[in-house]
Amino acid sequence: MPLKAADKAKLLASLEQRFAEYPQRHRGLDWSAVAARLAASAQALLALHGMERTGGEPDVIGVERDGRLCYCDCAAESPAGRRSLCFDQEALEWRKQNKPAGSAMGLAAELGCALLTEAQYRLLQTLGEFDRKTSSWVATPADIRAAGGALFCDRRYGHVFTYHNGADSYYAVRGFRGCVLV
């Protein structure tokens, strides 16, 4: 279902304001070119709306090799509307007691975004300091996931760390950051 005109206008105004407020995240990009890409992708707008609605504060952080813009959550801490989630549906089903409300991968699919890769997470951290009090699940290699684990990242002591945990674990301060390529 496409965004209502009022929601689309409000989202675009927020994205434009954030784009102007944080130019260091997207050096060399012009808002009019970004806005044209967004206008051409109802799917991306819907995903960005979901990311915004759940506290992600999405912004452009770079351009992929194929020329697509990389939008990701730039909230100072892991988005408040996406915390206390285990990693994926399999982990959610496996957990028998004290189940979380959902999974990071499930909610990301619902929103129409992907979890950041570790490389994207580290790129984000070169543009500011994020997750100083929270942590974020990141895309996890298949072999680690097959063994029951999942990866998450945060920033502590002035450094960015990647850790592992059981995919079924969840914490009030662990969420995920989404990515949309436009």
Side-chain angles (χ1 to χ4, degrees):
M1 177 167 77
L3 283 177
K4 295 178 183 173
D7 290 336
K8 182 178 176 181
K10 183 177 177 184
L11 173 64
L12 288 171
S14 292
L15 294 174
E16 182 176 13
Q17 179 182 350
R18 195 170 296 125
F19 187 90
E21 192 173 336
Y22 298 99
Q24 73 278 11
R25 293 180 184 162
H26 32 259
R27 294 188 199 291
L29 291 178
D30 176 65
W31 173 251
S32 60
V34 172
R37 287 245 189 132
L38 291 172
S41 180
Q43 185 177 356
L45 284 173
L46 202 54
L48 291 168
H49 180 260
M51 291 165 66
E52 183 78 14
R53 183 177 40 79
T54 56
E57 301 177 20
D59 197 5
V60 180
I61 64 162
V63 180
E64 298 291 300
R65 288 185 179 161
D66 62 6
R68 292 181 295 171
L69 302 174
C70 180
Y71 257 96
C72 91
D73 292 308
C74 292
E77 302 299 338
S78 193
R82 294 187 245 145
R83 295 185 194 162
S84 295
L85 304 168
C86 64
F87 184 73
D88 61 13
Q89 186 64 32
E90 181 183 347
L92 183 62
E93 290 170 5
W94 187 85
R95 192 170 182 106
K96 300 299 179 210
Q97 295 181 353
N98 304 316
K99 282 189 175 209
S103 73
M105 295 290 288
L107 184 51
E110 231 177 86
L111 295 173
C113 64
L115 269 64
L116 291 182
T117 64
E118 183 181 355
Q120 289 167 330
Y121 188 90
R122 289 183 178 280
L123 170 64
L124 174 66
Q125 291 285 3
T126 67
L127 303 173
E129 293 191 1
F130 303 92
D131 287 334
R132 293 185 309 169
K133 298 176 189 169
T134 58
S135 61
S136 295
W137 289 115
V138 294
T140 297
D143 60 331
I144 294 173
R145 185 59 198 99
L151 300 179
F152 67 96
C153 298
D154 65 22
R155 175 185 283 275
R156 301 290 189 273
Y157 313 109
H159 294 274
V160 178
F161 293 95
T162 300
Y163 310 90
H164 61 88
N165 215 174
D168 65 323
S169 68
Y170 68 98
Y171 299 92
V173 296
R174 182 171 308 145
F176 73 92
R177 292 177 180 278
C179 173
V180 173
L181 300 178
V182 184

